[in-house]
Amino acid sequence: MMLQILRYLPLVSLTWMFWLYFSPQITLQALFGNNAANEAASDVGSVTSASVTEPAVSPLADQFSSAPVDPTVEPNRIEIDLSDRTITLYRQNAKVNSYPIGIGRLGWETPVGQYRVLQMRRNPSWINPLTDQYILPGDPENPLGAYWIGFWTNGRDWIGVHGTPERNTVGEAISHGCIRMYNEDIEELYKEANLGRQVIVKQ
């Protein structure tokens, strides 16, 4: 009897291994399609973290006093001017283009300093930090629009540049620290940006 059990043990083990590997992907494909399954399989943590872009925490200004400041200005960079409410792309110190932006509102000011592009997402998902509601990529209610460029995180919440379905908010101080752009503008910026690109935010 024991010999018969041992004979089928490898087959049972392989079956379990197959299920453990493929079952999460199959479930995601059934719910959200191939893109969601591939995205989740490749970088589940980043996708989830990137979703929480408008943090539901205390005012952001208090969180950046210890942020390191690099005095070097690189020739290929992104500059965000909060006073003019513009974002400018530089290539070899030459201005490529400048775009209007929405910025953090009073009490949730966009942090001033020098950062790096840490994360880039095309068609990002979003999780409401207050209700945990998951909003799919491409949903008209998705507040991130079609592109996301993250440059600061505390490990849970993110601040970055993103599109918006509310075009009237561009030019206003209205966000929880993030930079809002017209969807067509951030599409252009996204093509030029890359991971590690310097992001300078000045008052």
Side-chain angles (χ1 to χ4, degrees):
M1 180 68 176
M2 184 60 70
L3 289 175
Q4 289 179 337
I5 293 174
L6 290 174
R7 182 183 303 168
Y8 291 103
L9 189 58
L11 180 61
V12 173
S13 299
L14 286 172
T15 303
W16 273 103
M17 287 172 63
F18 179 89
W19 184 86
L20 287 172
Y21 180 80
F22 287 103
S23 180
Q25 298 243 40
I26 293 169
T27 303
L28 284 165
Q29 287 174 0
L31 291 174
F32 306 119
N34 289 329
N35 289 341
N38 293 336
E39 188 177 18
S42 64
D43 200 354
V44 174
S46 295
V47 172
T48 303
S49 298
S51 302
V52 191
T53 57
E54 302 268 310
V57 292
S58 58
L60 296 173
D62 297 334
Q63 299 181 22
F64 296 92
S65 57
S66 60
V69 176
D70 179 1
T72 304
V73 175
E74 298 176 2
N76 297 325
R77 64 189 182 275
I78 295 170
E79 287 192 9
I80 297 169
D81 190 319
L82 300 178
S83 297
D84 289 345
R85 297 185 186 174
T86 58
I87 186 169
T88 303
L89 175 69
Y90 286 88
R91 189 191 305 136
Q92 296 302 314
N93 286 321
K95 183 187 293 187
V96 176
N97 212 338
S98 189
Y99 309 94
I101 58 172
I103 64 174
R105 65 192 183 203
L106 185 64
W108 298 86
E109 290 86 356
T110 303
V112 173
Q114 296 196 23
Y115 308 97
R116 299 274 176 190
V117 173
L118 301 175
Q119 192 176 64
M120 297 180 65
R121 286 285 183 267
R122 189 191 305 266
N123 294 321
S125 58
W126 184 74
I127 297 175
N128 187 312
L130 300 177
T131 66
D132 288 331
Q133 177 190 6
Y134 181 83
I135 299 184
L136 290 169
D139 190 311
E141 299 298 318
N142 190 321
L144 303 186
Y147 296 91
W148 161 259
I149 302 172
F151 60 83
W152 180 93
T153 181
N154 60 9
R156 175 185 180 273
D157 304 313
W158 283 81
I159 291 177
V161 185
H162 61 82
T164 177
E166 301 176 288
R167 295 180 64 86
N168 60 314
T169 63
V170 174
E172 303 295 324
I174 198 167
S175 76
H176 288 147
C178 283
I179 300 297
R180 297 185 182 186
M181 297 181 68
Y182 294 126
N183 289 322
E184 62 270 23
D185 289 347
I186 194 173
E187 182 177 7
E188 289 185 10
L189 182 67
Y190 190 91
K191 291 175 182 177
E192 289 277 353
N194 59 279
L195 292 175
R197 178 69 63 95
Q198 185 181 47
V199 179
I200 299 176
V201 184
K202 56 187 181 181
Q203 195 63 52

